[in-house]
Amino acid sequence: MDNAIYSGRDVVEFSIWDVLRNLLLAARWTVALSLITFAAGGLVAIILVLIRNRTDRWGKHVVVLYVQLFQGTPLLMQLFLAYFGLSALGFQISAWGAASLALTLYCSAFLSEIWHGCIQAVSKGQWEASACLALNWAEQMRYIILPQAIKLAIPPTVGFMVQAVKATALASVIGFIELTKAGTMIANATFKPFMVFSIIGVLYFCLCYPISRYARSLERKMNVR
Amino acid sequence: MSDKPLTSEIVIEAKGLKKFFGSKSVLKGIDLTVFQSEVVAIIGRSGSGKSTLLRCLNGLEAFQEGSVRINGAELKTNNAQTLRALRQQIGMIFQSFNLFPHLSVGENLMLAPHLVHKKTKNELSTQAINLLKRVGLEEKFHAFPDELSGGQQQRVAIARALAMGPSILLCDEITSALDPELVSEVLQVVESLAQEGMTLLMVTHEMNFAKKVSHRVIFMHEGRVHEEGSSIDLFTNPKTTELKQFLSSI
Ligand SMILES: Nc1ncnc2c1ncn2[C@@H]1O[C@H](COP(=O)(O)OP(=O)(O)OP(=O)(O)O)[C@@H](O)[C@H]1O
Ligand SMILES: [Mg+2]
């Protein structure tokens, strides 16, 4: 291998299986980061939606500001701030922790905006009719509003989730070794970037495609009622 | 059916009701008394505050001044507990039906009694079927709202309101969204309710219907009760120029 000799390092021969195995191992971290982001981000989003719906003007403003802040700045910058910013302030945080934190906040902003919109999209008449039947707020939400809002929310939520899986790649900039970062390292070591990044592409596709597929079947199921 | 109702118990009493939207004054001091089993029609130009009045009476809108009593109990729009009690006595039907589209007709009728009155499944379905019979739709129990005509949807909405056992029904232009040929099936149901002694407060543009079933007609103009009286008096012998104009414009 000529390239390997020029690099001045020990010549190591990587088979495609070695590459694949190492990428699959790294993909676990992409999956883990995505899952944490969805779970924690979804939870925070629910809280944000509740605050926005249940409090007076003040709470609404805070949530809107929060959403604008995270939607209006690059995720890359948020990752840098979470990692380097926090440690500059004296909080020791691992790349793993910083990536989870930044992606959770980022996701929560988008998801809360999507879900808030879907709740708003249920007609005011549904609130009024159920109020006139003496339902309280929790009952209105649980039995009337959410069943209709969730149906509306599935496509945009899934669309965003697929984006978020791909966005985890940005965590590589703070040294978190997930699929993309591992791929870069392997590509540098093997001098086969085309093969490595093709495999990475396939792996991301394998993560994202089932999500969209599942969403479509869920949508179909809900349309049948 | 213009005879006065037999009882004289007051079920709705509004005094000095004032409502603003921002700085815009929409209700400018409404005094209104409705007796049990009375049928009252509210007429007036668009924007005169008819809907707003109805919505203040069941707490859908908060008002700024005055008081409302329903069956003797003071309406407090900021108290969820008393609102829940009040809304079991006072039902409302909307122009746009507002059925719950994700629930079948039967479920539309049973949901609120299930949650609020904690009735059993058997009681609920028997009641729902009986109510559907009453509005002539017993075969639609399993249908979904989007499978029904407008007239059928509105009859389901009436049945749904009745399922809570109210003594008062507020109707806001409940036939205005219907094709002309579907209006009468809904009005028939309303008329039968009136005959059974339901207290009805209805905003309507169906003047013939108002004449036929209401004991009293209220003409609203710019946020005030401008003229009121028995339906015969009001329609045949209007006193104010505004009412004369209004009647000649329709
Ligand atoms: N939510 C609202 N916010 C601001 N203004 C409102 C609101 N609802 C009603 N209004 C205003 O209050 C006035 C009275 O409205 P309302 O709906 O009570 O009239 P209406 O007599 O029912 O008219 P229509 O015959 O068109 O239904 C109108 O000028 C309307 O623009
Ligand atoms: Mg109106």
Side-chain angles (χ1 to χ4, degrees), chain A residues 14 34 46 57 73 84 89 91 97 109 111 114 135 148 162 202:
Chain A
F14 287 97
S34 303
I46 289 171
R57 232 172 254 144
T73 55
F84 300 111
L89 291 174
F91 297 99
L111 288 177
I114 292 172
L135 268 57
Q148 298 178 56
V162 168
V202 171

Side-chain angles (χ1 to χ4, degrees), chain A residues 55-77:
Chain A
T55 58
D56 51 7
R57 232 172 254 144
W58 192 82
K60 271 181 202 126
H61 283 315
V62 172
V63 174
V64 171
L65 191 72
Y66 176 98
V67 170
Q68 305 259 302
L69 203 68
F70 286 99
Q71 286 195 335
T73 55
L75 176 57
L76 200 62
M77 186 214 77

Side-chain angles (χ1 to χ4, degrees), chain A residues 124, chain B residues 21-22 24-27 44-53 55 61 95 172-173 203 205 220:
Chain A
K124 200 161 141 261
Chain B
F21 283 111
K24 186 177 183 195
S25 171
V26 174
L27 298 180
R45 258 181 234 300
S46 177
S48 56
K50 307 179 298 292
S51 299
T52 307
L53 173 59
R55 294 159 60 82
E61 298 283 0
Q95 178 175 345
D172 192 357
E173 299 192 29
V203 174
H205 288 308
M220 283 190 68

Side-chain angles (χ1 to χ4, degrees), chain B:
Chain B
M1 202 182 70
S2 301
D3 348 316
K4 276 279 171 208
L6 297 174
T7 57
S8 57
E9 202 154 322
I10 294 174
V11 291
I12 300 177
E13 190 176 31
K15 281 191 181 146
L17 194 60
K18 289 190 183 169
K19 165 77 188 170
F20 297 85
F21 283 111
S23 60
K24 186 177 183 195
S25 171
V26 174
L27 298 180
K28 300 171 182 167
I30 302 270
D31 294 308
L32 173 70
T33 306
V34 179
F35 296 93
Q36 193 178 342
S37 299
E38 197 178 12
V39 178
V40 179
I42 302 176
I43 59 173
R45 258 181 234 300
S46 177
S48 56
K50 307 179 298 292
S51 299
T52 307
L53 173 59
L54 285 197
R55 294 159 60 82
C56 283
L57 296 179
N58 69 352
L60 275 186
E61 298 283 0
F63 46 88
Q64 281 75 35
E65 273 179 55
S67 69
V68 171
R69 288 180 166 277
I70 303 294
N71 291 327
E74 172 116 28
L75 165 62
K76 295 198 188 76
T77 45
N78 54 6
N79 183 320
Q81 208 66 47
T82 60
L83 263 189
R84 191 164 162 108
L86 170 120
R87 282 169 175 166
Q88 294 170 53
Q89 303 164 36
I90 186 163
M92 186 164 193
I93 327 280
F94 301 84
Q95 178 175 345
S96 51
F97 326 138
N98 292 343
L99 294 181
F100 307 132
H102 60 299
L103 300 178
S104 71
V105 166
E107 289 163 341
N108 264 276
L109 264 62
M110 297 188 294
L111 179 67
H114 166 67
L115 293 173
V116 179
H117 295 152
K118 315 274 184 243
K119 290 192 176 167
T120 66
K121 278 235 158 61
N122 265 335
E123 285 175 303
L124 287 169
S125 60
T126 315
Q127 186 201 32
I129 290 166
N130 284 335
L131 286 169
L132 286 177
K133 270 188 196 143
R134 191 160 160 192
V135 298
L137 291 171
E138 63 266 46
E139 78 283 2
K140 298 293 185 189
F141 189 91
H142 295 288
F144 278 85
D146 60 7
E147 297 162 355
L148 304 180
S149 73
Q152 292 172 330
Q153 289 190 50
Q154 194 59 297
R155 286 187 279 154
V156 172
I158 294 172
R160 183 177 68 175
L162 294 177
M164 294 301 285
S167 59
I168 307 166
L169 271 188
L170 308 176
C171 304
D172 192 357
E173 299 192 29
I174 62 172
T175 56
S176 296
L178 298 178
D179 293 336
E181 70 271 21
L182 301 177
V183 167
S184 71
E185 64 186 54
V186 172
L187 293 185
Q188 267 167 26
V189 171
V190 176
E191 192 173 353
S192 73
L193 290 175
Q195 277 158 4
E196 290 161 29
M198 178 71 75
T199 308
L200 286 170
L201 192 51
M202 51 187 194
V203 174
T204 184
H205 288 308
E206 300 285 336
M207 293 305 154
N208 289 327
F209 183 69
K211 253 180 244 178
K212 188 167 148 209
V213 298
S214 57
H215 302 113
R216 187 149 58 103
V217 177
I218 288 176
F219 171 62
M220 283 190 68
H221 183 70
E222 294 184 347
R224 290 202 173 79
V225 175
H226 202 71
E227 194 170 338
E228 73 178 297
S230 75
S231 57
I232 304 171
D233 279 357
L234 214 81
F235 286 117
T236 54
N237 189 17
K239 295 193 174 57
T240 60
T241 45
E242 286 80 6
L243 179 55
K244 282 176 194 159
Q245 273 174 8
F246 175 73
L247 289 177
S248 63
S249 71
I250 45 173

